[in-house]
Amino acid sequence: MVQKDAYEALEHKIMALRENSRTGDERKTLDEVFDRDTILGIYKLMTDGYIDTIQYPVSTGKEGNVFAAADAEGKLYALKVYRTSNATFNRIAKYIEGDKRFKGLSGSRRKIIYAWASKEFRNLQRLEDVGVKVPSPIRYYRNMLVMQYIGSKAGPAPLLRQVTLDDPEEVYSTLIEYMRLAYQEAKLVHADLSEYNILYYRKRPVIIDVGQAVLTDHVNAKDFLLRDIENVNRFFRGLEVSILSRDEALRTITEASK
Ligand SMILES: Nc1ncnc2c1ncn2[C@@H]1O[C@H](COP(=O)(O)OP(=O)(O)OP(=O)(O)O)[C@@H](O)[C@H]1O
Ligand SMILES: [Mg+2]
């Protein structure tokens, strides 16, 4: 049972975050994200000791918002909060339906969105287990995911598209290797891989936004993989890296080496 005072204190803090937001758009987003259930969920993450404070918004995306949060020692985490709106639901439903891990899942919009947060959590776990650099998953609860914060106190790590790479060849081959490990060892295809979903941290790529990643036996897995390869190839071609052809990349990623 939630203690009324503590809950109100949290609601207050979130109101303060809202007041501190610079733009009208930011305020609107916070209103959309922090419905009552979500505030209660954050309250639960706080009383369970995963986070202590929400520090600042990092990003406003199509389906969710990412915040920098800190635990009682001041260590930062990324808190991703999925919106429970219809628009989010419509976009994610097809990825959940084709996933045997969620067979039999039906019910309310909210339940499906909660399943989505757990799907991103599990995908992060599977990828980390096989050695793909992703934010370490810490905890999911309802429409929220707590994970390792990639960045420093000064701010989150930049996206790949925002940086000048010292050694683009090296980053390219690391990404091909990550796609191979994901496919062969974790049995996953990212399905939205591009320079927009890769952070650049300590001179290495970190893969993020893995909610939509599908198992390799998903009916569309091959098409998603080809699209991922083409996105990565397009980006590195622009940096004049000598890239693998689409078919070479596909073979490297999907076929066991002899
Ligand atoms: N673990 C993390 N550490 C630091 N920053 C992060 C982390 N996860 C996400 N971000 C930041 O938040 C942004 C949005 O995250 P993500 O791509 O997972 O969400 P999304 O809702 O799919 O957003 P979009 O629609 O913009 O892709 C990222 O582009 C990145 O800048
Ligand atoms: Mg993204």
Side-chain angles (χ1 to χ4, degrees), residues 16-247:
L17 194 69
R18 180 181 184 283
E19 298 310 319
N20 288 335
S21 306
R22 281 179 293 274
T23 66
D25 269 4
E26 260 175 33
R27 271 197 291 279
K28 184 166 166 278
T29 306
L30 293 177
D31 285 347
E32 238 180 77
V33 174
F34 292 115
D35 58 20
R36 199 187 137 77
D37 274 11
T38 302
I39 298 177
L40 280 169
I42 293 174
Y43 178 81
K44 166 86 173 143
L45 289 171
M46 288 178 169
T47 49
D48 288 353
Y50 291 100
I51 55 175
D52 187 52
T53 55
I54 296 179
Q55 301 279 325
Y56 49 87
V58 171
S59 145
T60 306
K62 293 182 293 286
E63 69 221 10
N65 296 264
V66 176
F67 300 89
D71 68 11
E73 278 81 54
K75 185 170 183 287
L76 289 174
Y77 292 91
L79 168 70
K80 186 166 176 177
V81 182
Y82 291 95
R83 285 180 226 194
T84 52
S85 67
N86 259 324
T88 307
F89 172 74
N90 291 338
R91 251 167 20 79
I92 70 178
K94 62 175 180 292
Y95 291 95
I96 293 265
E97 278 159 11
D99 192 320
K100 66 178 181 219
R101 292 174 293 176
F102 295 92
K103 213 162 167 232
L105 174 79
S106 64
S108 66
R109 191 179 77 194
R110 219 164 249 286
K111 253 168 109 180
I112 304 258
I113 291 166
Y114 292 180
W116 186 254
S118 84
K119 182 168 181 272
E120 177 147 29
F121 182 89
R122 292 200 229 182
N123 287 342
L124 285 173
Q125 241 171 3
R126 284 172 87 110
L127 291 167
E128 178 169 65
D129 284 350
V130 302
V132 176
K133 182 62 197 144
V134 294
S136 284
I138 309 287
R139 174 84 183 156
Y140 70 87
Y141 182 65
R142 293 187 176 168
N143 58 327
M144 284 158 284
L145 171 65
V146 181
M147 61 187 143
Q148 179 188 8
Y149 179 80
I150 307 295
S152 66
K153 290 251 176 336
L159 295 172
L160 194 60
R161 63 182 290 273
Q162 297 167 316
V163 291
T164 309
L165 299 174
D166 290 344
D167 190 350
E169 276 82 12
E170 174 78 27
V171 177
Y172 178 69
S173 52
T174 302
L175 288 171
I176 295 286
E177 175 61 4
Y178 284 171
M179 283 194 267
R180 190 189 72 77
L181 285 169
Y183 191 93
Q184 295 195 22
E185 310 274 331
K187 307 272 183 261
L188 282 175
V189 171
H190 186 289
D192 193 19
L193 193 65
S194 76
E195 65 276 23
Y196 291 85
N197 278 331
I198 301 170
L199 298 178
Y200 189 61
Y201 181 61
R202 298 186 172 160
K203 299 195 187 293
R204 294 169 67 89
V206 182
I207 310 278
I208 61 164
D209 205 0
V210 303
Q212 72 295 314
V214 297
L215 295 174
T216 50
D217 62 6
H218 186 284
V219 282
N220 302 119
K222 175 97 183 288
D223 291 341
F224 291 150
L225 178 59
L226 284 171
R227 197 176 62 192
D228 287 353
I229 291 171
E230 274 169 3
N231 283 338
V232 171
N233 271 354
R234 175 192 35 74
F235 180 73
F236 285 92
R237 197 182 296 123
L239 299 179
E240 289 170 13
V241 171
S242 74
I243 54 172
L244 300 175
S245 72
R246 196 183 87 139
D247 290 347

